[in-house]
Structure formats: C-alpha cells, structure tokens
Amino acid sequence: MEDKRNIQIIEWEHLDKKKFYVFGVAMTMMIRVSVYPFTLIRTRLQVQKGKSLYHGTFDAFIKILRADGITGLYRGFLVNTFTLISGQCYVTTYELTRKFVADYSQSNTVKSLVAGGSASLVAQSITVPIDVVSQHLMMQRKGEKMGRFQVRGNPEGQGVVAFGQTKDIIRQILQADGLRGFYRGYVASLLTYIPNSAVWWPFYHFYAAVSGPLAAATASILTNPMDVIRTRVQVEGKNSIILTFRQLMAEEGPWGLMKGLSARIISATPSTIVIVVGYESLKKLSLRPELVDSRHW
C-alpha cells in the first residue's frame, strides 16, 4: 500500500490530470508572453549576415520597437502559441516515460535521462512545423526582407491581419517545398533539443532557483551553435546541416556560432526559474485530493 506521507518525488499516478493540464497551460502561456520578444530577437540575430541590421540584443530590441512598436516584438506569436500543445505533450511524455522506466530501474537519474530525451523527441515532432511558420513571420519587417518569404502585397509589413499573414506564409512554403518544407531543420532541432532535455532533467531535482538559471545559461552556450544552424536551415531553406555549418564558418568564423546567445540566455532564464520553482508547485497543486490532505509540505 502506498505511503501517502512519504511522497519524495510527485509522479504521474499522484496527479489530478485535469488540474495538471489547466495549470500547466496557464504557466506555459505566462512564460511565452514574457520571453517571446527575445525569442524573436534571437532568431533575427542568428539569421542576419554579420551585423548588417543589428549590433546585438539591446540594439535589436530598440530598433524593432522604434520601427514596428510593441507588436513588432510579437510577430508570429499567435502561431507560436500552438506550441502549447507540444508543451503538454512534452510533460505528458516525460511523466509517462518515467513511470514506464520505473519498472526497469529505480534510479531517478536513469528515469529522468530517458524521459527527458523521449519527451523532447515527441515535442519536436509537433513543434517543428509551428516553428517553421512562426520563424518566417518573425522575419517580416519594414524594408529589406530577412527570410526566404515575404508576406505578399505587404511591402511595409503592415495592413494584413495576423492570420492572413500566416495563411500567406503557409501557402508559400507549400509552393516552394511541399509538405516537407514544414519539417525543414527537423534533424537539427532533434540534435539541439534532445541532448539538452536529456541532460537537464537528471539534475532537475537538485536545482534551486539560483542554480537553475546557471544551468540554463550553460545549456544555452553548449547548444547555441546547433541552434544557429537549425534556425538558418529553417529560415533560409537550406538542405544540409554540414553545408550550413561550413558556410557559416566561412562567412563569420567561430563567433558566428554564438549569434543570438545573449537573447537566448535572456529568454531561457525566466523559463528555467519558473520550471525549477513552479513545476513542482504545479504538481503539488495538481495532487489528487486524498494525497493533498495527507501531506505536510
């Protein structure tokens, strides 16, 4: 019989699933709203040639704000919110995989490692098409276009409603690449996020609010080179990770692999704080009633 007073790590079977998903969506949306401008800035910095448009994160923030206002920092946001679906699939896969692996190993490290990698694989399979569309929307700006596609009949980047722009971008991707175009950069995405997720979760239960951001910064530094390549493959329509890497090195040298790093760290840090502090709180709020009454946190 389960000892309700000795729940060290809250597992899937302890949760009220309805509460878990409702609170989870709310928490994820809060994170997305707060960090999205820096996700957009990171993407533009990674795609631009050298420093042709922006000289850094702060410079990009000011220029986008002056040119397009606050809405310019949220281009593609509505499309990107569909990744809430992949986010919930991520946590569900993570928790269910932990439960499955528990039948073979009681090591929390093993369970977290396998579950983290599996969750990222499932999530990226859903996220990549959404990312491809939202990234092309992020590239829409006044003046010279940054990506492969420009919203048609809208040279100034204004006057077309958000879903009209989305429909136009989707049509252009289909015309240029077919359905495969929505999974451009899929392998690069897996190479970026699976190692990050698989390594991060084993340390999750040891993190505190201070060390979490440090871990996020470290993970951002280690995976940024592949993230730059992933972004360029998806936005510029390239077909080879290796050729994209070689071109980047030839044009910008090793420092090109660190493009957008500060914006990436800024966007990752709040997320990590919320995850470290908030994820266990989310799970506590989602505990089944009979377990809540018996716990003294």
Side-chain angles (χ1 to χ4, degrees), residues 59-77:
D59 182 58
F61 181 85
I62 295 299
K63 286 181 177 177
I64 295 170
L65 199 60
R66 286 175 178 172
D68 301 320
I70 191 68
T71 56
L73 294 168
Y74 283 89
R75 289 191 185 277
F77 178 73

Side-chain angles (χ1 to χ4, degrees), residues 7-35:
I7 302 174
Q8 309 243 331
I9 297 175
I10 301 173
E11 301 288 7
W12 182 251
E13 60 270 19
H14 303 138
L15 299 175
D16 179 322
K17 308 306 186 294
K18 182 178 180 180
K19 288 182 180 179
F20 182 70
Y21 286 120
V22 171
F23 290 143
V25 168
M27 185 179 79
T28 305
M29 179 59 78
M30 180 182 67
I31 296 172
R32 295 289 168 83
V33 171
S34 64
V35 304

